[in-house]
Structures are given as C-alpha cells and as structure tokens.
Amino acid sequence: MILKKAAVIGYPVKHSSSPKLHNFWLKSYNIKAEYGFLETKPEDFEKTILSLKDSGYVGVNITVPYKENAFDIVDMRSEAAINTGAVNTIYFDETGNMQGTNTDPYGFLRNIVSSQENFEFKAGKAVVIGAGGAARAVVAALVVDKATDVIIVNRTREKAEDIKKQMQGLGAGKIEVANWNERNDVLEGANLLVNTTTLGMEGQPLLDISLNKLPKSALVNDIVYKPRETQLLRNAGLRGNQVVDGLGMLLYQAQLSFKFWFGIEPEVNDILREYILATNN
Ligand code: ATR
C-alpha cells in the first residue's frame, strides 16, 4: 500500500508545530500517512509545489515566507485565500486541480466560538492589534464572515492601511485604521480585542497597552500561545474580561487542513492541547 504524504513547506520550517499535530491525528485515526517538514529554498519553491502530486502528496501546509507565493501558483483559490491574499493549505480536488485555501480565518473563529459559544461578534466593534499575516486572517474572518466593524492598530500604520484597502468592501464589516499611540483610546466601546502581533511571546517584548477603557463585557483574545497565558490575557482576566488563549487557533486551522486532505474532522481536545504544549519547546 502506498503511504500518503503531507508536509509543511517553509524556510526555515523546523519551528513548525504542524508535523506534531497532524501526525498525532494520523496515528489516532489509524490513517496510513505521514506528515513531514519540507524545508524549501526560495529558488526551489515553485518547482516543489508543482511536483507535489507526482511525489505522492495529498497536500501541504504553507508557512513563512511563502503564503503569498503559494497564492500565485495554485490552480484555484478559495474565498478565504482571496480575502487574505494568502494560502496556508494546498490540496487536490477530485479532478486533480491544485486548490489553495487559507484555514487561519476558520481557526481564529472556531477558537473563539469553541470557548464562548454565544459570543455576539456584531454586538460592537473589534480592535485588532497588528497588521501582519495573522492580522489579515483575523480581519478577514471578522469583516467578511462575521460582518463586524474592525479598527486595526499597528506600529507601522501603512500596513494597516494596506489591509483596509484590500479588504474593505469584501464583507459587511467596516474597517478603520488607528495610530499606534491611539491603542489605549480605541478600546472604548469595543466588544473584542485581539492581539495578532508577536508582542508578549516568549523572548519578545510585552504588549504595552492599558485596558482601562475596554468595557468589562469585551472578550480578549491573544493569538500568541507561548506562553499560553500572556500578560495581556492575565491583565484582562484580572479586571473581569473573558479571555481566549491562542492555542486553539493553531489547532483549529490544522483541523480544517486535515479535513481537506483526509476527509475526517479530527478532534481538538485537552489531550492534544497538553501534548502540543508539553512538546513545544
Ligand atoms: P505574522 O505573519 O505572524 O502576523 P508579521 O507579519 O511579522 O507576523 O507581523 C508581526 C506584527 O507584530 C506586525 O504587526 C508588527 O508591527 P509592524 O508592522 O510595525 O512591524 C508587530 N510587531 C512586532 N514587533 C513589534 C514591536 N516591538 N512593537 C510594535 N509592533 C510590533
């Protein structure tokens, strides 16, 4: 029997948790497949993608720095890929077309909803800190899928403006951009605060923000999951806000990729969470 293959493609790629996650599920569901690392130099990227099918891959994840390059190469793009301008998952459909999608918006939303089942996205505006790749997924999910108004605050204002320019009008939610020094003030009246920057991650500076103006009813989500309880989440929790940590976004984006490749929605549970945290160094 031919062993099915999947992998994560990036450069560098060894830091990725995806192989651990997917191999955990492959073993749990007794699927004869393996998920590896495909560290690929920029000059080899296109060739590697175009030879995936012939090399026996059911699909791949794409990580830094190739999510935008992958978008250009695939045969067809999902709405999530188009909304974010990035592809993190490639799979082949029944006719053999190379499909590109982005499972990060789904991962973000499912993480929130799995923790706060009745969260009302449209009850107020969302403040998104950051304007990198992760912010694109979060803003697309909010503005397009949840019709939520968003304020993006980023140190480099231009990058937030770029997201606004690309996504405004794609969904019912409106996008505003604020300056970095307005990050405390824009929290007034917000219903959701999401940190998409690397600030607060182990080895990185903390996110310097005052939550004084944030309503106590707002939900606070950090997509940083190392540490699982960031200082932002700790401070938010101490003043009475509901908080959702970032590990679930990683797990749920993987869940949807796995479903595209293997036809099963694998379970996200505490055993998996603990396994990933224990082996994540
Ligand atoms: P990802 O694709 O994971 O979102 P990224 O594209 O490198 O990562 O984006 C990192 C985000 O963290 C950016 O919004 C970045 O702000 P800039 O666009 O101004 O670079 C933000 N960030 C990183 N270090 C920061 C710092 N010291 N202060 C403020 N923002 C920071």
Side-chain angles (χ1 to χ4, degrees):
M1 187 181 161
I2 300 167
L3 194 65
K4 287 182 181 168
K5 290 196 291 185
V8 54
I9 301 188
Y11 190 65
V13 77
K14 286 286 185 250
H15 64 277
S16 171
S17 305
S18 295
K20 236 175 336 193
L21 258 170
H22 288 286
N23 286 318
F24 177 94
W25 282 326
L26 288 170
K27 218 167 130 197
S28 309
Y29 292 92
N30 207 11
I31 297 171
K32 300 278 171 280
E34 68 183 12
Y35 185 112
F37 293 97
L38 263 182
E39 185 156 283
T40 307
K41 293 198 176 111
E43 60 268 32
D44 297 329
F45 180 70
E46 185 162 0
K47 191 176 64 195
T48 303
I49 296 291
L50 295 177
S51 63
L52 284 173
K53 202 152 166 248
D54 288 344
S55 309
Y57 284 91
V58 294
V60 286
N61 281 130
I62 308 290
T63 189
V64 180
Y66 297 131
K67 290 186 187 183
E68 289 80 22
N69 306 64
F71 183 90
D72 294 333
I73 297 172
V74 293
D75 296 324
M76 294 168 96
R77 299 159 189 91
S78 70
E79 199 186 329
I82 292 165
N83 292 341
T84 54
V87 160
N88 81 338
T89 302
I90 287 177
Y91 65 97
F92 298 98
D93 64 22
E94 326 71 63
T95 56
N97 282 318
M98 189 192 283
Q99 296 277 352
T101 189
N102 191 339
T103 63
D104 284 336
Y106 166 87
F108 163 71
L109 289 178
R110 183 90 191 249
N111 184 35
I112 302 277
V113 172
S114 71
S115 168
Q116 300 287 319
E117 209 183 330
N118 299 316
F119 183 69
E120 283 282 348
F121 286 90
K122 280 195 280 190
K125 66 178 178 180
V127 174
V128 175
I129 313 274
R136 280 179 181 272
V138 169
V139 174
L142 291 172
V143 169
V144 182
D145 298 329
K146 293 296 177 187
T148 303
D149 293 343
V150 171
I151 299 185
I152 310 172
V153 192
N154 193 46
R155 177 180 59 177
T156 312
R157 184 183 170 108
E158 232 171 42
K159 283 168 67 183
E161 296 282 3
D162 283 349
I163 297 182
K164 177 176 172 174
K165 214 185 310 166
Q166 189 230 319
M167 281 184 210
Q168 184 74 279
L170 287 178
K174 292 187 193 63
I175 303 176
E176 273 179 53
V177 171
N179 289 327
W180 187 239
N181 63 11
E182 294 171 309
R183 63 194 180 283
N184 300 333
D185 295 334
V186 294
L187 299 180
E188 201 166 339
N191 181 41
L192 174 66
L193 168 63
V194 186
N195 173 44
T196 72
T197 71
T198 46
L199 296 169
M201 191 184 284
E202 252 169 48
Q204 299 293 324
L206 294 171
L207 172 62
D208 177 16
I209 193 166
S210 159
L211 301 180
N212 287 344
K213 293 195 174 162
L214 183 71
K216 296 269 166 64
S217 55
L219 180 68
V220 179
N221 171 226
D222 202 328
I223 71 156
V224 169
Y225 61 90
K226 242 165 109 177
R228 195 157 174 201
E229 188 188 50
T230 59
Q231 193 197 56
L232 171 68
L233 295 185
R234 195 175 325 122
N235 290 343
L238 283 173
R239 66 194 289 283
N241 291 94
Q242 298 280 359
V243 299
V244 177
D245 72 58
L247 183 60
M249 181 169 172
L250 170 76
L251 304 181
Y252 285 112
Q253 64 74 30
Q255 179 189 57
L256 185 57
S257 299
F258 190 95
K259 195 173 171 197
F260 281 121
W261 303 323
F262 302 110
I264 290 175
E265 183 177 282
E267 200 185 345
V268 169
N269 57 26
D270 285 344
I271 300 170
L272 176 63
R273 286 178 201 271
E274 259 138 50
Y275 169 69
I276 293 302
L277 289 171
T279 54
N280 204 345
N281 37 44

